[in-house]
Amino acid sequence: MDGLVTSIDLAPFAHAAEAITGVAVIPVSVAPLDIDLGAYELSEDGDVVETGRATETVRVPLAHTEGGLTVSMLRGATAAGSIRTHVLADRITRASCFVCGDAGEAIALARWIDAELASMREWLAAADDPALSKRARLREAATHVVGPMCHVLWRWTTGDAVGANMMTRNAYALNMGYVMQRAPVKPERAILEANMGGDKKPSHEYFRSGHGKTVIAEALLADDAIRRVLRTTAEDLAALSWAGTHGSVASGMQSVAFTPASAVAAVFAATGQDLGMVGTSSMAHGTARRVPEGLHASIRFPGLEVGTVGGGTTLPSARDWLASIGCAGGGKVYRFAQVVAAAALALEISASAAMATAGSENFFRAHHERGGLR
C-alpha cells in the first residue's frame, strides 16, 4: 500500500490474514490468579478425562481498552483466593443441511445418517485426500428434520486447534463425497453450514450442548473476604444473583451471567484467538449460593472456542503471551480453556460485588471515576 509507514516487520503476520497493511496495538496488562487447574486428556472415545490437579499462580494477559477491567479482575481474584476449574467436554460442531423433496425423504435420510456414523468415520480415516484433516475426528452426528430439510450437527474433536477450518474441510468432504453419493434418497441440495448450531452467534443449541471446550470455574468466597475486599455481603450478592437470573430469563438471554465477554475478549485479543468467536465463547451460566462459610460462586462456559496451535496463536506477541502462561503449543488447550474461565469468574465476582451494593453505588462510582468523555 503506497504511503504506508510502519516500523513493524509485517512478514510474521502475513500468513494469518490477507492484505496485510499494518498492525493494531492494544495495551496488555496482567492479572495474577491462583487457579486449581486440572490436567486432562481426551480418551479414544472422545471423553475428557482428568489425570491430575495442581494449584498455580497464573499471570493472565489481558489486551483491552476497558478502564478498570484488570484491577476489577484482580479484586475478584483476591476475594476468591483459589479458583478451581474443571473441563467437562470437548466438541466443535458444523451444522450442515440436506434439502430433500419432502419431509418423508428427509426423515429417511436422517435415519440413514444415524445408522451410518461408524462407516462415515472409517471412510474419513481411509480417505487419501491431502485436503482433509486427520486431527479432526468425527464423534457424533445429531439430525433434526423440519419440513423437507434434514439438518445435521456434525460433532468433532480437533486436538489443540480451535478446529473450524479442519472440521469445515472434513464436513464438506463428508457431505459431498459420502452423503450425496451414497444416501438411498439423494438430497436436492447440500448446505455446508445452515445455521442450526449458531456459528459465531449465541444460540440455545450451543448453550445446551456446547461448541468448543465446556468448562466450569468455581470459588468459595469467605464472608470476611466479601466484606473486606469486595465491600459488600454474601446476602447482597445472593440477592443480586436472584434478580439477575430472573432478568436473564425474562429477556430470553442465551446467557445467565454479568460480564463474561469482557474477560473472554481481553484474553482472546492477547493470545491470538479468533475474535469473532467471542460471541459464542462468552455464553455463560453463573450461579451464586449462600453457604455457611460465605458464598459459593461458579460460572459454566458451554463452548470456549480456544486453540493453542494454528491461526493467530502463531503470531509473535500471541505466541509469547501464551508461552508466558504455559499454554503455547500442543497439549495445552485444556489448560488454556481453564485459564480463560478462571479469569472470567474473577471479573464476575468483582463486577457483581460492585453492582450488589446499595443502589449499585460502587458500580456507578467505578464508571464515573474511570469513565471517558463527560
Side-chain angles (χ1 to χ4, degrees), residues 211-235:
H211 184 66
K213 277 57 178 174
T214 301
V215 186
I216 289 181
E218 63 177 348
L220 177 61
L221 308 177
D223 283 322
D224 176 66
I226 295 173
R227 287 190 300 267
R228 179 173 45 83
V229 179
L230 300 178
R231 308 297 178 89
T232 187
T233 66
E235 288 75 16

Side-chain angles (χ1 to χ4, degrees), residues 224-300:
D224 176 66
I226 295 173
R227 287 190 300 267
R228 179 173 45 83
V229 179
L230 300 178
R231 308 297 178 89
T232 187
T233 66
E235 288 75 16
D236 283 341
L237 282 166
L240 175 71
S241 176
W242 175 76
T245 298
H246 283 285
S248 298
V249 172
S251 73
M253 195 181 300
Q254 291 299 339
S255 202
V256 186
F258 195 79
T259 182
S262 293
V264 171
V267 180
F268 272 30
T271 58
Q273 307 301 306
D274 186 337
L275 296 180
M277 292 178 171
V278 171
T280 36
S281 292
S282 61
M283 287 192 300
H285 192 156
T287 69
R289 184 170 69 96
R290 186 70 163 104
V291 294
E293 304 92 334
L295 190 87
H296 179 271
S298 77
I299 191 166
R300 179 183 190 270

